[in-house]
Amino acid sequence: MSRTEISAAPGIPLIIVSREFDAPCELVFRAHIEPDLLERWLGPRDLTLTVERWEARDCGAWRYVNTGADGATYGFRGVFHGDPSPRAIVQTFEYEGAPGHVALRTTAFTERGGRTLVRMVSAFQSVEDRDAMVASGMARGVHDSGDRLAELLTTLHTNPGDT
């Protein structure tokens, strides 16, 4: 299984996440754009994701909430820029617990021989904003999400009717 790589170079307000999945691009894209599939893999394993709004189109808004076993909630929101496609999804990303600290995220999909490389670049307003995201423990959620997505893609790839 491929491992998720996270890069946050000192002094640059970017986080780059990349991972290759053993699935065709169209399937990986669907998992990123269809809310019912997104709820099955995005976020840490110990939280439940609920997509409350998902308008996957240019200027469309989105919002989802992670809920812990203790009932604590963590809301995220943003707006899509351009129409999402199997080449890329561009959207803003804002944690509602830190309003006004908005990142621009581009998720690119590249298929190679039936496998798909996903590369997500998040551009923050400042290095301080980027460092706060890193300090929040985001790596755990990113790694859990990558593993959960790989598991879901294996299920969908071998059982296409399981959506």
Side-chain angles (χ1 to χ4, degrees):
M1 175 191 320
S2 178
R3 182 85 175 127
T4 301
E5 296 177 13
I6 302 171
S7 171
I12 301 172
L14 298 177
I15 295 175
I16 301 171
V17 176
S18 59
R19 181 166 177 161
E20 189 172 82
F21 295 93
D22 188 17
C25 184
E26 187 62 41
L27 189 59
V28 179
F29 172 71
R30 280 187 51 222
H32 278 80
I33 209 68
E34 294 180 15
D36 58 322
L37 295 178
L38 201 65
E39 288 180 338
R40 294 170 61 181
W41 68 268
L42 185 61
R45 288 190 188 274
D46 61 333
L47 300 177
T48 300
L49 180 75
T50 303
V51 175
E52 294 186 348
R53 185 174 186 178
W54 196 257
E55 301 165 346
R57 59 174 170 71
D58 187 32
C59 298
W62 64 268
R63 182 175 192 269
Y64 57 72
V65 177
N66 278 314
T67 305
D70 61 357
T73 60
Y74 310 92
F76 301 88
R77 64 183 173 209
V79 174
F80 289 97
H81 294 265
D83 288 320
S85 76
R87 287 185 329 184
I89 301 167
V90 179
Q91 63 195 104
T92 56
F93 177 89
E94 180 180 14
Y95 170 51
E96 293 175 353
H101 298 274
V102 180
L104 180 64
R105 176 176 292 170
T106 301
T107 305
F109 306 90
T110 306
E111 186 170 339
R112 300 178 192 148
R115 297 178 62 85
T116 303
L117 173 65
V118 176
R119 186 171 189 264
M120 182 180 68
V121 178
S122 295
F124 293 81
Q125 296 172 6
S126 67
V127 172
E128 293 77 20
D129 283 359
R130 189 280 314 262
D131 289 348
M133 179 62 76
V134 171
S136 75
M138 55 86 53
R140 179 177 70 95
V142 169
H143 285 292
D144 277 2
S145 292
D147 293 345
R148 293 174 67 199
L149 176 55
E151 294 160 9
L152 175 63
L153 291 168
T154 297
T155 299
L156 296 176
H157 195 58
T158 56
N159 304 309
D162 188 23
T163 55

